Amino acid sequence: MQASILDLEYVLGHYNYWMFVILMMTGLYITVSRGNLIKKIVGLNIFQTAVFMLYISMGKIIGGTAPILVDDPDAVYSNPLPHVLILTAIVVGIATTALALALVVRIRETYGTVEEDDILAMEHEMEFGAGVPHGGDRG
Amino acid sequence: MSANLVGIAIIDILLFTFLVVTAIVILRLRNLFGVVMLAGVFSLLSAALFVTLDAVDVAFTEAAVGAGISTVLMLGTLALTVREEKKPSHSAFLPLLVCTIAGAALLYGTRDMPSFGAPDTPVQTHVAPDYIARTPVETGVPNIVTAVLASYRGYDTLGETAVIFTAAIAVLLLLGASGKRREDKDSEGKE
């Protein structure tokens, strides 16, 4: 496939995948660059939703219909299997989100903060006494 | 056929633009209440995208679970923790670099992907036609997604239930135990 990037056919056939890569990387960036634990969880959810979109778009057939049986014998159905997988993934995703949020509440009770930097500084202090923590000047 | 493809492309790109704008605002915003609300908007927009991609079951699950339950859980967490995010103290250059490289690698990987919506890809020709043909004969359920979820892959759904049960117990242990200890602390304070 040596199609040029400006070929309309190629672009229409692949723009979906590019969209999901952009969304997924935005989610990853929020997760790794922000220190607030709640925001990290929101970033993970965005990452997760981008993966769902990738799976669902692979099951789509142009001109097909939703996989619910109709009387027309010539009907083309989109692939139901990615839908089943992603239904399970969404429900498991909310379970892990709930667990992560419960952990955030516990961390807040123990440390009094949900900022990663502050927590690391406190851990450092606990371990090595009240020295200047590595890389941090706040506190 | 081609007009159909272009029509889907226009709706998809419109929804995608909204999704990216929402994600970028989530990135920039430091008011966590706003972040949680925008996360709900993000879920709802992705549910709309799932409808255009023929995944109606996934769309209403995403709308109910992603935009509904998840937002409620996050609001509950905000009530128990903080409302504002602190300014990031270190530069975000390394995460940006990592994300750019990973994104470039993934984009390179999409070159080998089959065209979007093509009916002759391995995804479409392997086992899916078999499930579509057998569902009305063997189960009589009109919704193929339900038939696969509950009949053919019932064990997977059992496993999913086990995961949710485990998560629920873990949440109860984490929050329940802390509530009890806080009561102990209160009673110590009174004495």
Side-chain angles (χ1 to χ4, degrees):
Chain A
M1 190 186 276
Q2 286 303 315
S4 119
I5 202 89
L6 291 173
D7 182 1
L8 185 65
E9 200 83 4
Y10 181 76
V11 170
L12 281 182
H14 288 78
Y15 72 95
N16 257 51
Y17 307 126
W18 303 334
M19 300 186 340
F20 308 141
V21 170
I22 294 172
L23 274 183
M24 200 190 282
M25 285 308 120
T26 315
L28 182 64
Y29 182 71
I30 294 176
T31 307
V32 293
S33 74
R34 293 297 182 259
N36 187 294
L37 296 178
I38 296 173
K39 208 157 176 188
K40 273 180 193 287
I41 295 172
V42 173
L44 271 181
N45 278 347
I46 292 177
F47 187 97
Q48 195 180 25
T49 312
V51 176
F52 297 165
M53 290 172 192
L54 175 68
Y55 269 67
I56 297 295
S57 78
M58 286 197 289
K60 167 77 178 162
I61 297 178
I62 295 293
T65 177
I68 296 169
L69 295 171
V70 290
D71 287 335
D72 180 10
D74 295 330
V76 177
Y77 300 108
S78 287
N79 194 336
L81 296 183
H83 302 186
V84 177
L85 278 176
I86 297 309
L87 276 182
T88 307
I90 288 177
V91 178
V92 170
I94 188 71
T96 51
T97 304
L99 186 58
L101 289 173
L103 279 171
V104 168
V105 170
R106 284 290 289 124
I107 287 171
R108 155 84 178 174
E109 275 173 11
T110 309
Y111 290 87
T113 175
V114 292
E115 299 288 337
E116 197 183 29
D117 294 346
D118 297 353
I119 295 167
L120 285 177
M122 270 180 221
E123 293 254 276
H124 192 273
E125 213 166 286
M126 268 185 251
E127 211 166 324
F128 301 105
V132 179
H134 168 74
D137 51 359
R138 288 183 305 161
Chain B
M1 190 79 169
S2 186
N4 202 343
L5 187 61
V6 172
I8 291 176
I10 291 171
I11 298 174
D12 271 12
I13 289 171
L14 201 66
L15 282 172
F16 169 68
T17 314
F18 283 134
L19 282 167
V20 169
V21 169
T22 314
I24 288 173
V25 176
I26 288 176
L27 176 68
R28 315 274 315 170
L29 206 62
R30 286 219 303 282
N31 180 343
L32 289 175
F33 181 76
V35 167
V36 170
M37 284 296 127
L38 283 170
V41 170
F42 188 90
S43 280
L44 210 57
L45 284 169
S46 58
L49 192 66
F50 291 146
V51 173
T52 70
L53 295 174
D54 284 351
V56 282
D57 301 82
V58 180
F60 66 64
T61 308
E62 176 71 33
V65 171
I69 300 174
S70 161
T71 310
V72 170
L73 288 177
M74 292 215 181
L75 284 179
T77 311
L78 284 195
L80 290 171
T81 56
V82 288
R83 289 292 186 87
E84 266 322 293
E85 183 196 0
K86 272 189 191 162
K87 261 197 168 133
S89 60
H90 41 75
S91 90
F93 175 71
L94 191 62
L96 193 64
L97 188 74
V98 168
C99 291
T100 313
I101 292 174
L106 286 173
L107 283 177
Y108 179 71
T110 63
R111 282 176 57 87
D112 282 343
M113 294 289 281
S115 273
F116 167 67
D120 54 352
T121 59
V123 185
Q124 313 293 1
T125 52
H126 194 47
V127 291
D130 197 39
Y131 276 115
I132 293 172
R134 283 163 59 174
T135 293
V137 184
E138 289 183 353
T139 68
V141 179
N143 188 335
I144 303 169
V145 175
T146 311
V148 176
L149 194 72
S151 297
Y152 295 114
R153 305 301 309 168
Y155 282 113
D156 292 352
T157 309
L158 183 68
E160 174 195 339
T161 319
V163 169
I164 297 163
F165 182 66
T166 314
I169 290 180
V171 169
L172 284 178
L173 283 176
L174 277 169
L175 296 182
S178 71
K180 195 175 161 206
R181 213 192 39 252
R182 201 188 302 152
E183 274 166 32
D184 292 350
K185 227 185 263 174
D186 286 352
S187 59
E188 275 168 26
K190 271 171 209 157
E191 283 159 14

